């Protein structure tokens, strides 16, 4: 190839990249203005991958084509939100975290007359029911209230039903054992056909509600907040906003549980917490 040909190829790549960036910005701005969902401060690389995956799933050819469809078809938008919100969870996910919580945090919670826990970004609820089981085994569930929130209405509907595919229970049972479960996981559900249904008493102290960390405000004061592996998909601006929200929502000496890839560093709140467990990223608010 001649130098001019190389130059033309580079210019075409730059034009394509710039065009795609403009399309992305218009799509996200349109979603925000039309539906109130704000993805504008999500980390761009992972957001781009998920958007293109959804474009192919919708049998479209471009981001602009997706924009047209989601702005005119609510069902298409709902499918996009479900894919962008990454509904990934499992019971007793990261068992060592639950074991550590049982050993280090439960003794603190015993001193509280009433316990409020917030699972932010609860997805389809498996982690929420895991916490309900743990609190029940420690004799604290009757004086606890768990608030489980997510921006994804589809995930919340699944969570409220308290139904899980039976094929998942073998791995969930292993997680339960490794997490320090004191009974049998089968005591907490009833098998029916290809699914299991959690016992009704586990749901009685759980409140499921829609809440968007990117746009909504604090709605209560909590003794414990779980926000695990949620902010890894946010850029620095949104991450700092969420940390401010979590700080405002924690009571004095409240406990914050983050994901293994997250921490309070570079958030502006480093000095406001003491580390209770560095490996599991568990912190206590001290000022």
């Amino acid at each position: 190839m001649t130098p001019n040909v190389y130059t033309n190829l580079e210019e075409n790549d730059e034009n394509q990249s710039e065009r795609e960036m403009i399309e992305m910005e218009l799509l996200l701005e349109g979603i925000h203005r039309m539906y109130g969902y704000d993805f504008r401060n999500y980390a761009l690389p992972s957001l781009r991958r998920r958007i293109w995956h959804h474009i192919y799933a919708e049998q479209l050819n471009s981001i602009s084509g997706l924009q047209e469809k989601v702005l005119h078809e609510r069902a298409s938008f709902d499918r996009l939100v479900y894919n962008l919100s990454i509904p990934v969870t499992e019971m007793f996910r990261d068992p060592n975290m639950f074991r550590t919580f049982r050993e280090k945090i439960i003794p603190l919670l015993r001193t509280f007359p009433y316990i409020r826990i917030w699972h932010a970004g609860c997805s389809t609820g498996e982690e929420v029911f895991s916490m309900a089981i743990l609190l029940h085994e420690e004799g604290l569930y009757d004086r606890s209230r768990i608030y489980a929130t997510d921006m994804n209405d589809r995930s919340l509907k699944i969570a409220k039903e308290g139904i899980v595919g039976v094929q998942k229970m073998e791995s969930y049972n292993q997680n339960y054992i490794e997490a320090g479960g004191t009974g049998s996981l089968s005591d907490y559900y009833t098998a029916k056909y290809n699914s299991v249904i959690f016992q009704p008493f586990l749901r009685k102290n759980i409140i499921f509600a829609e809440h968007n960390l990117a746009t909504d405000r604090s709605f209560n004061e909590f003794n414990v907040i779980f926000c695990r592996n949620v902010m890894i998909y946010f850029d620095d601006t949104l991450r700092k906003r969420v940390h401010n929200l979590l700080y405002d929502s924690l009571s004095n000496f409240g406990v914050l549980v983050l994901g293994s890839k997250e921490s309070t560093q570079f958030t502006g709140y480093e000095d406001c917490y003491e580390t209770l467990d560095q490996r599991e990223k568990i912190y206590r608010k001290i000022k």
Side-chain angles (χ1 to χ4, degrees):
M1 290 185 184
T2 65
N4 285 340
V5 174
Y6 281 117
T7 301
N8 290 337
L9 288 175
E10 290 174 357
E11 289 178 350
N12 287 337
D13 289 342
E14 290 176 1
N15 290 338
Q16 177 64 28
S17 179
E18 183 178 0
R19 185 182 303 111
E20 184 183 74
M21 182 61 67
I22 292 172
E23 287 182 307
M24 284 273 289
E25 291 175 356
L26 291 172
L27 170 65
L28 301 180
E29 183 66 28
I31 288 172
H32 182 245
R33 294 178 63 177
M34 185 77 179
Y35 299 106
Y37 285 74
D38 195 350
F39 295 101
R40 294 174 298 178
N41 291 114
Y42 276 53
L44 189 59
S46 62
L47 186 63
R48 179 184 179 276
R49 287 194 300 271
R50 282 177 279 146
I51 284 176
W52 274 106
H53 181 270
H54 188 74
I55 288 170
Y56 298 140
E58 295 281 306
Q59 299 181 334
L60 300 170
N61 299 313
S62 68
I63 297 174
S64 293
L66 177 62
Q67 177 186 350
E68 180 180 6
K69 190 167 185 178
V70 299
L71 293 183
H72 289 86
E73 298 179 18
R74 177 68 196 221
S76 178
F77 168 72
D78 290 339
R79 292 193 296 271
L80 175 62
V81 170
Y82 185 74
N83 289 330
L84 293 185
S85 57
I86 316 175
V88 177
T89 187
E90 62 183 38
M91 292 199 71
F92 296 96
R93 179 166 57 105
D94 303 325
N96 189 68
M97 190 287 298
F98 281 91
R99 179 180 287 275
T100 301
F101 190 92
R102 190 187 292 264
E103 295 172 354
K104 293 186 176 182
I105 308 306
I106 288 297
L108 299 177
L109 298 185
R110 292 192 191 283
T111 66
F112 300 157
Y114 189 75
I115 303 164
R116 288 187 299 272
I117 297 176
W118 179 18
H119 282 263
C122 71
S123 187
T124 50
E126 281 90 330
E127 187 174 70
V128 177
F129 284 104
S130 301
M131 183 53 54
I133 291 170
L134 190 156
L135 292 170
H136 170 74
E137 292 184 346
E138 296 297 330
L140 295 177
Y141 190 51
D142 286 341
R143 53 186 166 114
S144 300
R145 182 64 56 90
I146 301 177
Y147 297 80
T149 67
D150 202 275
M151 62 171 285
N152 191 321
D153 183 60
R154 181 176 169 186
S155 292
L156 283 174
K157 288 178 180 178
I158 296 172
K160 290 176 183 177
E161 291 175 350
I163 299 175
V164 176
V166 71
Q167 73 278 3
K168 299 179 180 180
M169 297 314 295
E170 183 176 351
S171 63
Y172 287 178
N173 184 65
Q174 183 61 36
N175 286 353
Y176 169 76
I177 293 171
E178 294 177 10
T182 61
S184 172
L185 187 59
S186 61
D187 293 337
Y188 300 105
Y189 64 81
T190 300
K192 187 174 183 180
Y193 304 112
N194 293 322
S195 301
V196 302
I197 304 174
F198 292 116
Q199 297 291 356
F201 79 87
L202 290 177
R203 297 198 292 271
K204 70 176 183 177
N205 289 344
I206 301 175
I207 297 174
F208 291 100
E210 190 170 341
H211 184 275
N212 191 331
L213 290 170
T215 57
D216 294 336
R217 298 180 180 180
S218 176
F219 59 94
N220 209 327
E221 186 176 74
F222 301 95
N223 305 113
V224 181
I225 297 178
F226 287 86
C227 189
R228 302 176 62 215
N229 300 316
V230 175
M231 289 183 280
I232 58 175
Y233 303 105
F234 299 164
D235 69 7
D236 289 341
T237 300
L238 182 53
R239 196 176 296 117
K240 289 179 179 179
R241 182 203 187 277
V242 174
H243 270 286
N244 181 66
L245 171 65
L246 299 180
Y247 177 81
D248 288 344
S249 301
L250 265 179
S251 63
N252 291 332
F253 304 108
V255 175
L256 175 64
V257 185
L258 299 177
S260 58
K261 298 179 181 178
E262 300 165 318
S263 75
T264 60
Q265 288 186 324
F266 311 114
T267 64
Y269 290 97
E270 299 95 320
D271 296 336
C272 298
Y273 296 96
E274 66 172 338
T275 302
L276 298 182
D277 192 278
Q278 180 61 38
R279 175 181 173 181
E280 300 304 331
K281 302 298 190 296
I282 301 177
Y283 305 92
R284 179 162 57 180
K285 180 178 176 179
I286 56 174
K287 61 181 179 181

